[in-house]
Amino acid sequence: MNRRDFLITGVAAGTLAVADAWTPAFARSRGKLRLGMIGTGLRGQSLMGSLLGRGDVDMVALCDIEPIMLGRAVAAVEKAGQPAPVTFGADGDVHAYRRLLELDNLDGVIIATPWEWHAPMAIDAMQARVAVGCEVVAGITLQDHWDVLRAQQQTGTPYMLLENVCYRRDVMAALNMARQGVFGELVHLQGGYQHDLRGVKFNSGDPDEPYNSGVEFGDKGWSEARWRTQHSIERNGDLYPSHGIGPCAHLANINRGNRFTRINSFASKARGLHDYLVDRAGPDHPNAKLRFAHGDVVTTQIACANSETILLQLDVSLPRPYSLGFRVQGTEGLWMDVNNGVHIEGKSPPHKWDDAQEWFARYDHPLWKKHAETAAGAGHGGMDWFVLNGFVEALKAGDPMPIDIYDAVTWSAITPLSEQSIAGGFETLDFPDFTEGRWKARKPVFALDSGY
């Protein structure tokens, strides 16, 4: 039976809309996966590096409209000792990925393209019954998120958002501590994306110098400068929420016994990118005359059904060291990553911080204990290996995805909701319930005995 024609035995298509982000159509074990990659730029190649190191994955198809990046990706597959993959997109056809999705016996696809393509590509893949591992974000508009959700529910095709920070070692240790009650009852959480991206949003256009090399963007730029910068010109909101909200959502059991109920966002003035261009190119350069809609610091506040509060901050246009600004605070103590400190009442010296590493060594998550050696050397301190391993192992086993469709659309929808809040004078909005009530019965993920 052709995979794309396969229907779930005994389950009418009309009932798929109530599926819990996973259906028995994919509940079969696979010893080895045949994967495709849509988007073979720098991020795609980095993810491919972790996949090519596995013995249970064959990279059989690649798609990109940039021949240089496509060629480098093909070379990486061949260097890893795998047969040359089928390629699509070298002709510049932006819909070439649809031909990739028509391949027989393709188990899944990794989407690592510019943000605006994530939703349409994921929808097309799910409709083709090809499992999706999608880089963040899930969509641009709020309607995008509903459309991605409905496509998953109607097809039953597995979808995982590849949010790697959920697998950061200290984040998972803090999750372990929270699950074991070390912080007491959780009250407040913080996170965000605080990372100087000025040298990412502008470069010289040289494929071999994608960072900190110039002041061009769009057609004159390269890599992320070709597409990401335009979002800062046109949009104002938290455009990249999942690094911060993903770990906070797992800690608060969002969509699994808890949910977001209200949201508002505030944006500062926009100065950082303009000053960066003037400093490097002078006031007479055409790009120095650009006006950016995106505030330099965007602060988002979220209320939860179980009365926790969450604060997110996006800060990517000003000079600063990297930090995601995590804070996990409960009735018995807290962790803050900025000062690498933990304080637990009755166990830490009064009004003093302990070194967080002392606590994290004691509460290292079982996944890290099991896989740390294997993940060593993978991208982002091993996080990339873990998030891809979650996708691969769940798909092989026919299990639900660790970061599923409800997580994906809930976390990513913060972007259009924050834009709406800011545009409305920082108004507070109701947060949509993408689970449509299922959050009350769903169980937390990352059980401490989880194999992936």
Side-chain angles (χ1 to χ4, degrees):
M1 182 180 295
N2 185 284
R3 175 176 52 82
R4 287 176 177 78
D5 295 331
F6 181 69
L7 296 177
I8 305 168
T9 302
V11 181
T15 66
L16 287 176
V18 298
D20 188 17
W22 171 83
T23 57
F26 286 84
R28 64 177 179 84
S29 61
R30 302 162 172 82
K32 197 168 191 177
L33 298 181
R34 291 167 54 86
L35 297 183
M37 175 77 70
I38 304 175
T40 62
L42 297 180
R43 182 58 181 153
Q45 289 176 47
S46 177
L47 292 172
M48 239 174 46
S50 293
L51 292 169
L52 290 172
R54 304 180 63 101
D56 55 359
V57 169
D58 286 334
M59 295 300 305
V60 299
L62 305 176
C63 181
D64 202 296
I65 59 172
E66 176 46 68
I68 294 176
M69 294 290 100
L70 190 59
R72 291 179 182 181
V74 170
V77 174
E78 293 176 330
K79 184 178 180 180
Q82 294 190 15
V86 181
T87 62
F88 302 87
D91 57 357
D93 178 10
V94 296
H95 294 110
Y97 72 91
R98 292 174 177 167
R99 301 200 302 273
L100 179 150
L101 296 173
E102 293 173 355
L103 294 174
D104 288 333
N105 300 319
L106 189 64
D107 294 303
V109 65
I110 305 297
I111 298 173
T113 54
W115 297 335
E116 53 267 30
W117 284 99
H118 289 186
M121 288 175 171
I123 290 169
D124 285 344
M126 288 187 286
Q127 289 176 343
R129 303 302 197 271
V130 177
V132 173
C134 187
E135 261 294 343
V136 297
V137 294
I140 301 295
T141 68
L142 194 58
Q143 187 61 49
D144 284 343
H145 294 78
W146 284 110
D147 291 346
V148 171
L149 174 62
R150 295 304 185 215
Q152 195 287 321
Q153 291 174 323
Q154 290 162 9
T155 65
T157 309
Y159 177 110
M160 179 168 169
L161 190 73
L162 300 179
E163 179 41 71
N164 57 4
V165 177
C166 291
Y167 289 90
R168 206 172 86 173
R169 194 165 194 166
D170 57 351
V171 166
M172 295 200 74
L175 178 65
N176 194 3
M177 292 172 69
R179 291 284 192 265
Q180 298 193 41
V182 177
F183 299 115
E185 182 182 357
L186 293 186
V187 174
H188 178 74
L189 300 161
Q190 292 183 194
Y193 190 55
Q194 301 175 131
H195 187 189
D196 183 354
L197 295 183
R198 296 173 298 171
V200 173
K201 293 183 179 182
F202 297 96
N203 57 39
S204 66
D206 184 340
D208 294 317
E209 294 184 339
Y211 305 123
N212 302 304
S213 61
V215 295
E216 302 299 342
F217 76 103
D219 292 341
K220 294 182 178 180
W222 185 258
S223 189
E224 290 175 74
R226 279 196 170 176
W227 58 269
R228 189 169 186 168
T229 313
Q230 193 65 35
H231 289 277
S232 296
I233 295 172
E234 298 177 355
R235 305 171 67 197
N236 194 10
D238 189 332
L239 304 186
Y240 207 62
S242 64
H243 283 349
I245 199 60
C248 291
H250 280 148
L251 283 154
N253 294 327
I254 298 302
N255 294 331
R256 297 168 175 86
N258 199 4
R259 80 173 190 91
F260 301 145
T261 57
R262 302 278 276 168
I263 181 172
N264 65 20
S265 293
F266 298 80
S268 75
K269 65 183 75 174
R271 296 291 185 271
L273 295 179
H274 171 77
D275 291 352
Y276 179 85
L277 293 169
V278 171
D279 288 346
R280 282 154 182 77
D284 296 327
H285 191 281
N287 290 349
K289 301 181 181 358
L290 289 170
R291 291 296 176 261
F292 296 91
H294 194 265
D296 289 342
V297 178
V298 176
T299 301
T300 298
Q301 301 176 108
I302 300 173
C304 301
N306 293 344
S307 298
E308 302 90 348
T309 54
I310 300 175
L311 185 145
L312 301 176
Q313 285 195 310
L314 179 67
D315 174 359
V316 296
S317 300
L318 296 168
R320 62 161 299 126
Y322 174 87
S323 169
L324 298 188
F326 285 117
R327 174 174 164 183
V328 179
Q329 189 158 17
T331 55
E332 300 297 325
L334 76 163
W335 163 55
M336 293 181 65
D337 76 339
V338 173
N339 68 339
N340 193 34
V342 165
H343 177 86
I344 305 299
E345 189 169 48
K347 298 181 179 179
S348 304
H351 305 289
K352 294 186 181 297
W353 294 100
D354 295 330
D355 186 336
Q357 297 310 311
E358 297 172 4
W359 287 90
F360 291 162
R362 196 183 325 169
Y363 289 94
D364 197 18
H365 195 281
L367 279 178
W368 271 94
K369 290 181 179 180
K370 181 178 181 179
H371 295 301
E373 186 174 340
T374 304
H380 294 93
M383 296 188 301
D384 287 352
W385 183 89
F386 275 98
V387 73
L388 290 168
N389 185 67
F391 174 73
V392 168
E393 293 295 344
L395 187 55
K396 282 168 53 183
D399 286 344
M401 288 292 158
I403 302 174
D404 68 16
I405 187 65
Y406 293 126
D407 299 321
V409 296
T410 300
W411 303 353
S412 181
I414 290 169
T415 294
L417 291 168
S418 68
E419 291 179 273
Q420 182 181 339
S421 174
I422 291 167
F426 316 128
E427 66 178 320
T428 299
L429 308 171
D430 289 330
F431 204 107
D433 176 13
F434 290 101
T435 74
E436 296 167 301
R438 299 182 187 91
W439 63 273
K440 297 176 183 178
R442 302 180 81 228
K443 303 301 182 185
V445 293
F446 284 156
L448 298 184
D449 60 351
S450 170
Y452 47 85

